[in-house]
Amino acid sequence: MAIKRIMVIGAGQMGGGIAQVAAQTGFEVVLNDIDRAFIDKRLAFIGGLLDKNVAKGRMTEEDKAATLARLIPSTDLKDAADVDFVVEAATENLAVKEKIFRILDEVARPDVILASNTSSLPITELAAVTGRPELVIGMHFMNPVPVMKLVEVIRGIATSDATYATVKELAETMGKVPVEVNDYPGFISNRVLMPMINEAIYCVYEGVAEPEAIDTVMKLGMNHPMGPLTLADFIGLDTCLAIMEVLYEGFADSKYRPCPLLRKMVKAGWLGRKSGKGFFDYS
Ligand code: CAA
């Protein structure tokens, strides 16, 4: 079945990025969120990014207008009845995602693949709340989605080969490089990235060095585009903590113990860029 119309659930940073890339690569995109004002804000943000592309000669005004016209706002999950593919990028909370997947399973056509952009929640568990576990898969984009080439494609225990092949092809059509991963806590990206970020936070906690120094070592010494603490602020410290908890619980191994300083900062509401304060100041 050809995929023409995609529903993206969640108009946050990730969902907005996925919707933008899908629309730019020719798909009709139903961008769903609970609050219309939130969708409008995201569409305005996407419009700004496309304006920049036009100004830089990467896109014509016509392409920009066509891309924006392909983005259709939706505040009703029942709109999933009319799409060929769904990718969910709602909040990283298993109960919330399970609720969404139950509704999608009822509403979407029985042959429609239900993908999740989750960064660490188990695909197998999401699949288990549906009557179509062979059609449930992880499609994990990286932030910022329009810039980053990678998509981790995560196979739950029941995901079929046909579902995998479709998602691999879809990711490639969207200009991304898919990598096949099996469903274990943190997949590849966050199993490798988050312990490094957590260790950088331990370096602050133990007084090894100031945040600026730690980031400089990793930027200039290892050629990382952002230091780990700047990256933690960019991802959101609450998200970093949630992912460390998934690793800690999922493997029952103390090597994934979240740093107490990370817990403390999240409790203080210091969540990084989005709250104006994390390891660095953004106010
Ligand atoms: N949305 C869209 N485009 C964005 C953007 C955003 N939020 N932020 C930056 N960009 C674009 C800029 O517009 C710019 O595009 P042009 O070249 O067309 O002008 C380009 O990215 C480069 O931006 P800048 O020149 O402003 O800054 P930079 O060179 O420092 O690059 C960066 C910014 C691409 C974010 C770079 O710092 C980087 O690669 N950082 C690491 C990002 C990373 O590791 N991401 C993965 C996070 S982990 C994750 O996502 C998974 C998870 O589960 C937690």
Side-chain angles (χ1 to χ4, degrees):
M1 188 252 336
I3 295 172
K4 292 202 179 77
R5 197 173 163 97
I6 295 177
M7 179 181 243
V8 178
I9 297 171
Q13 229 179 14
M14 297 303 291
I18 297 167
Q20 179 189 336
V21 171
Q24 271 181 262
T25 48
F27 295 96
E28 272 179 41
V29 181
V30 178
L31 180 56
N32 176 279
D33 208 302
I34 41 180
D35 186 349
R36 175 64 200 248
F38 200 50
I39 301 171
D40 289 343
K41 204 172 136 201
R42 183 57 55 184
L43 291 175
F45 179 79
I46 292 172
L49 290 175
L50 297 183
D51 281 340
K52 212 177 70 179
N53 283 341
V54 173
K56 290 199 167 181
R58 291 193 200 120
M59 183 180 233
T60 63
E61 273 292 347
E62 292 72 39
D63 285 342
K64 181 192 121 185
T67 298
L68 289 174
R70 283 193 287 270
L71 287 160
I72 306 147
S74 151
T75 50
D76 190 347
L77 280 179
K78 289 203 181 89
D79 293 334
D82 192 26
V83 302
D84 309 314
F85 186 89
V86 182
V87 54
E88 167 276 321
T91 182
E92 282 292 283
N93 174 306
L94 189 58
V96 171
K97 288 188 193 287
E98 283 182 352
K99 190 172 162 206
I100 292 171
F101 270 69
R102 277 195 193 95
I103 297 171
L104 291 174
D105 192 35
E106 272 175 31
V107 175
R109 285 197 321 263
D111 61 327
V112 167
I113 294 174
L114 307 179
S116 175
N117 177 60
T118 181
S119 54
S120 65
L121 297 172
I123 300 304
T124 304
E125 278 183 48
L126 281 180
V129 304
T130 73
R132 61 178 92 192
E134 71 288 355
L135 289 172
V136 176
I137 194 161
M139 196 176 185
H140 182 210
F141 292 81
M142 302 293 129
N143 190 16
V145 180
V147 181
M148 309 300 278
K149 290 300 253 182
L150 179 75
V151 176
E152 274 187 300
V153 182
I154 304 113
R155 300 182 68 140
I157 200 165
T159 307
S160 71
D161 289 344
T163 298
Y164 172 74
T166 302
V167 173
K168 176 177 183 286
E169 197 187 324
L170 177 64
E172 286 166 349
T173 308
M174 289 171 77
K176 302 297 180 191
V177 178
V179 171
E180 182 176 1
V181 187
N182 286 317
D183 185 22
Y184 286 101
F187 317 134
I188 296 173
S189 56
N190 281 318
R191 183 160 176 183
V192 176
L193 174 67
M194 282 304 160
M196 181 194 71
I197 286 178
N198 198 45
E199 203 57 34
I201 301 172
Y202 267 109
C203 287
V204 180
Y205 178 65
E206 292 169 7
V208 175
E210 293 296 320
E212 190 70 52
I214 294 163
D215 272 12
T216 300
V217 166
M218 297 307 288
K219 267 198 306 188
L220 302 188
M222 284 76 189
N223 242 359
H224 288 194
M226 282 175 168
L229 300 169
T230 302
L231 183 56
D233 281 352
F234 177 67
I235 293 168
L237 300 190
D238 50 343
T239 303
C240 293
L241 177 59
I243 296 171
M244 283 311 295
E245 299 280 24
V246 166
L247 293 172
Y248 189 43
E249 203 187 302
F251 292 113
D253 187 331
S254 63
K255 78 176 175 182
Y256 298 111
R257 184 170 72 106
C259 178
L261 176 60
L262 175 60
R263 284 191 195 285
K264 194 188 224 175
M265 290 175 75
V266 171
K267 284 208 174 107
W270 296 4
L271 307 181
R273 246 188 229 195
K274 64 185 167 190
S275 74
K277 180 155 181 58
F279 289 97
F280 302 98
D281 256 314
Y282 303 90
S283 43

